[in-house]
Amino acid sequence: MAAAGPLLLPLLLLLSVLPGPAGAVWPQPQAQRSPPGAGRCPLPPGRFRFAAAEGSAVGPGCEVLDAAFQRYRPLLFARPTESEPSWGTPCTQLLVYISTPGCDVFPRLDSKESYKLVVSKGSVLLSAETIWGALRGLETFSQLVGRDENGTYYINETEIVDFPRFPHRGLLLDTSRHYLPLRAILETLDVMAYNKFNVFHWHIVDDPSFPYESLTFPELSRKGAFNAMTHVYTASDVRAVIEYARLRGIRVIPEFDTPGHTLSWGPGAPGLLTPCYVAQEPSGTYGPINPILNSTYEFVTSLFREVSAVFPDFFVHLGGDEVDFTCWRSNPKIRAFMKEMGFGEDYKKIESLYIQRLLDIVSSLGKGYIVWQEVFDNQVELRPDTIIHVWKEAMMKYKEEMANVTRAGYQALLSAPWYLNRISYGQDWIEAYKVEPLDFKGSPEQKALVIGGEACMWGEYVDITNLTPRLWPRAGAIAERLWSNSTVRDLEDAYARLSEFRCTLLGRGVQAEPLYIGYCENEFGEV
Ligand SMILES: *[C@@H]1O[C@H](CO)[C@@H](O)[C@H](O)[C@H]1NC(C)=O
Ligand SMILES: *[C@@H]1O[C@H](CO)[C@@H](O)[C@H](O)[C@H]1NC(C)=O
Ligand SMILES: *[C@@H]1O[C@H](CO)[C@@H](O)[C@H](O)[C@H]1NC(C)=O
Ligand SMILES: *[C@@H]1O[C@H](CO)[C@@H](O)[C@H](O)[C@H]1NC(C)=O
Ligand SMILES: *[C@@H]1O[C@H](CO)[C@@H](O)[C@H](O)[C@H]1NC(C)=O
């Protein structure tokens, strides 16, 4: 018992070591019912086909749907059996009906993801307003399929009406502390889609490295990447990520965090960072972006002009967190500027001045922005449609911040309790799962301003070797919190479904870690 320790004992009560129920869906749909006398129907892999229903506004030739059909076939039928089922009326097709035209588009914050799935003997009908809803419904369908004792694929008759609770369900990856190869990002996008996440927040650059290959400023990655040949994201890599994500209904929001977190920018952008001083001499080290030079604003205008064109999403994440004032304080020119502006000793004022100008620049490029909470805390004047990303003080203070942000009328995203890079012994998915994003003091109008949240995987201790098991299935806890009804919070039921979902992930080749003691019918690597 030494390894389990006293902390685990209370949890043992709610655990069963058996795999969970077959055909359970993660995240749990909003409504599911089985018609009275529901039976089941076998799915013959060889004859099963996907097709557009009559009258569907989107049909064959829509790449998002065609590519999804191709992806799901091997996920549904991992072990193709040629023999015809020996019982029942087989379901030989899944018909997709989409009511709103639109295929060559990108998912957006206001995209509709609702769908309805009706499984009855002989056929499966998936209807949705948009192709994005159809993608969510296909994932649900794939999780409903089981195998009987003779290995026949089958699905129970059922009816599901489903939609997300929050429109922004994100996952942050940090590719600056460690470089993540393109393959790791693409694989993560796959598993995000299995969890119905719909935003990839790409924290692409930071202090340690600058892997983004800029067309306007190629020196940034040449001098700022860990390795300018191998540890960079080329323009074609970035396009690949955006398209791979689009095909899975996932938005890509890049973060270029300034004015702090920019040390890696320095070598490739001479004059951009503030020189720090010791006594009256430059010390040779650098601090945040220099906010008092016109050249700084010319630089950020050009960089964000490129970023705005490369990344199609309306939103860019502008960071704005953790600005260290020590270097600014040491620099005589900055001090002189502070004096001239009448800022006294309040370095937040010069930070705000920089952020204010940056926000105006990004607005003028036709983009919306997300910022970390400090930008709000420091009372920068923000456009009314700004999204404030709450990350600080996981120990409950974040609720007050959510209240403050929404009281001021801003939209909010929650990440504070969802730092998956932090790990602890035992079942730490439970803490993430128990969070209720709207549990703060505020009016219904304030609650309506919460557009969702993001799981964060900061990269100090994470690279491709441990990314996947640290993410999955733990991030699934957050995926369900952001998708399902707020009343879905029974830990015993969640444990059973999440364990089963984790087995499904293993079957799909994802190295998801176990929640606790137990086994899967298909262990990793057996398929
Ligand atoms: C189908 O329904 C039966 C009876 O409720 C249940 O035992 C079985 O696990 C279900 N299978 C799937 C794949 O949903
Ligand atoms: C499995 O196969 C056996 C032997 O053919 C048969 O008796 C049994 O009914 C089958 N089970 C199902 C669920 O079809
Ligand atoms: C910076 O730009 C402003 C406004 O365009 C101008 O008035 C000022 O002279 C410039 N400062 C420098 C040092 O070039
Ligand atoms: C929320 O606002 C109140 C009133 O302005 C302030 O006292 C408090 O510190 C703020 N809370 C947080 C977490 O910033
Ligand atoms: C969430 O579940 C509760 C209880 O079942 C129900 O009253 C409520 O309508 C559900 N919310 C939505 C948006 O369906």
Side-chain angles (χ1 to χ4, degrees):
M1 251 343 260
L7 274 179
L8 270 185
L9 288 177
L11 295 175
L12 288 171
L13 295 174
L14 53 87
L15 300 176
S16 79
V17 298
L18 297 170
V25 181
W26 191 277
Q28 184 163 298
Q30 299 287 342
Q32 175 167 12
R33 61 178 208 102
S34 301
R40 53 187 187 163
C41 74
L43 302 171
R47 281 200 289 141
F48 191 81
R49 64 183 199 112
F50 298 97
E54 204 176 302
S56 175
V58 180
C62 170
E63 200 191 349
V64 171
L65 288 185
D66 290 349
F69 296 159
Q70 274 185 30
R71 282 199 306 280
Y72 277 100
R73 180 173 293 281
L75 297 183
L76 289 167
F77 308 118
R79 302 173 181 179
T81 44
E82 281 314 313
S83 59
E84 274 295 301
S86 57
W87 52 270
T89 313
C91 281
T92 54
Q93 59 181 3
L94 180 142
L95 294 176
V96 180
Y97 177 87
I98 290 164
S99 59
T100 314
C103 183
D104 285 328
V105 290
F106 286 93
R108 306 165 12 149
L109 177 60
D110 62 358
S111 294
K112 295 278 182 293
E113 297 177 286
S114 55
Y115 67 91
K116 184 175 175 192
L117 185 67
V118 180
V119 179
S120 49
K121 290 206 177 85
S123 79
V124 182
L125 179 64
L126 169 59
S127 40
E129 240 176 277
T130 70
I131 50 175
W132 315 121
L135 293 181
R136 306 298 168 239
L138 270 178
E139 176 56 39
T140 296
F141 171 71
S142 76
Q143 294 185 22
L144 291 170
V145 173
R147 300 184 92 199
D148 74 10
E149 74 237 35
N150 296 334
T152 302
Y153 288 101
Y154 76 96
I155 187 166
N156 284 338
E157 285 186 288
T158 189
E159 208 177 294
I160 290 177
V161 174
D162 201 9
F163 51 87
R165 181 178 174 206
F166 294 104
H168 184 124
R169 305 178 308 280
L171 172 65
L172 175 149
L173 291 185
D174 168 5
T175 56
S176 175
R177 271 87 184 196
H178 284 96
Y179 177 78
L180 293 171
L182 183 62
R183 178 168 62 87
I185 297 177
L186 301 184
E187 284 172 9
T188 302
L189 289 167
D190 275 318
V191 194
M192 284 174 67
Y194 303 156
N195 283 270
K196 297 188 171 76
F197 276 114
N198 67 354
V199 177
F200 169 38
H201 173 169
W202 194 351
H203 189 86
I204 189 165
V205 298
D206 203 298
D207 286 327
S209 77
F210 195 104
Y212 172 76
E213 233 178 55
S214 163
L215 295 171
T216 322
F217 300 108
E219 294 299 306
L220 287 171
S221 62
R222 230 172 256 160
K223 301 203 167 134
F226 288 135
N227 180 314
M229 297 300 292
T230 56
H231 288 49
V232 288
Y233 302 105
T234 64
S236 105
D237 291 340
V238 170
R239 273 197 305 274
V241 168
I242 294 168
E243 181 60 7
Y244 201 90
R246 183 183 81 90
L247 291 175
R248 286 153 185 79
I250 297 172
R251 302 159 58 206
V252 178
I253 298 184
E255 179 181 355
F256 286 80
D257 190 356
T258 66
H261 289 278
T262 48
L263 286 184
S264 68
W265 306 34
L272 178 67
L273 302 185
T274 309
C276 315
Y277 280 64
V278 170
Q280 293 310 307
E281 298 295 326
S283 68
T285 62
Y286 293 89
I289 281 181
N290 192 332
I292 67 171
L293 303 178
N294 285 352
S295 57
T296 288
Y297 299 97
E298 288 158 15
F299 175 90
V300 296
T301 303
S302 302
L303 181 68
F304 280 102
R305 181 173 295 129
E306 172 180 329
V307 168
S308 302
V310 167
F311 292 90
D313 201 80
F314 177 62
F315 290 97
V316 180
H317 202 302
L318 298 177
D321 58 318
E322 295 184 312
V323 182
D324 181 1
F325 298 142
T326 324
C327 183
W328 282 348
R329 218 175 261 133
S330 77
N331 182 301
K333 288 185 182 138
I334 303 243
R335 283 209 310 273
F337 181 87
M338 294 278 294
K339 197 165 173 198
E340 188 187 321
M341 298 295 287
F343 287 170
E345 280 298 304
D346 189 356
Y347 283 82
K348 281 184 187 167
K349 290 206 166 118
I350 196 167
E351 177 186 355
S352 299
L353 177 135
Y354 167 83
I355 298 264
Q356 196 71 69
R357 288 191 67 174
L358 173 65
L359 299 185
D360 293 345
I361 289 165
V362 173
S363 275
S364 74
L365 293 167
K367 289 283 178 171
Y369 40 75
I370 305 176
V371 290
W372 294 112
Q373 69 179 72
E374 286 95 320
V375 175
F376 166 79
D377 295 343
N378 294 347
Q379 291 161 1
V380 176
E381 194 184 306
L382 298 164
R383 232 169 53 177
D385 63 353
T386 303
I387 299 170
I388 312 292
H389 199 161
V390 173
W391 71 276
K392 281 170 101 167
E393 325 262 17
M395 298 316 287
M396 295 309 162
K397 259 238 149 138
Y398 72 84
K399 296 185 179 181
E400 204 178 295
E401 184 78 8
M402 293 293 279
N404 286 0
V405 165
T406 54
R407 195 180 315 110
Y410 295 110
Q411 293 176 292
L413 274 179
L414 182 62
S415 279
W418 288 331
Y419 271 33
L420 292 175
N421 47 293
R422 295 181 180 277
I423 48 177
S424 59
Y425 191 72
Q427 298 209 42
D428 62 357
W429 66 275
I430 292 176
E431 285 312 307
Y433 190 76
K434 279 172 23 189
V435 169
E436 170 41 54
L438 302 189
D439 179 21
F440 59 84
K441 288 201 188 81
S443 63
E445 291 73 23
Q446 277 175 261
K447 307 285 168 99
L449 288 167
V450 179
I451 59 169
E454 292 186 358
C456 296
M457 185 57 80
W458 296 102
E460 286 87 350
Y461 302 96
V462 176
D463 72 3
I464 190 174
T465 63
N466 58 352
L467 174 70
T468 302
R470 197 175 283 208
L471 266 179
W472 313 111
R474 294 165 75 233
I478 299 155
E480 178 152 296
R481 185 53 55 238
L482 293 171
W483 178 280
S484 305
N485 189 310
S486 63
T487 58
V488 177
R489 43 193 320 116
D490 182 293
L491 288 177
E492 204 169 338
D493 178 65
Y495 176 83
R497 285 183 299 110
L498 190 55
S499 304
E500 175 60 23
F501 179 55
R502 183 249 170 186
C503 291
T504 302
L505 294 181
L506 296 192
R508 294 179 180 189
V510 180
Q511 226 157 350
E513 69 176 19
L515 292 181
Y516 191 51
I517 299 165
Y519 74 102
C520 295
E521 293 297 342
N522 297 312
E523 295 294 352
F524 182 77
E526 275 187 2
V527 176

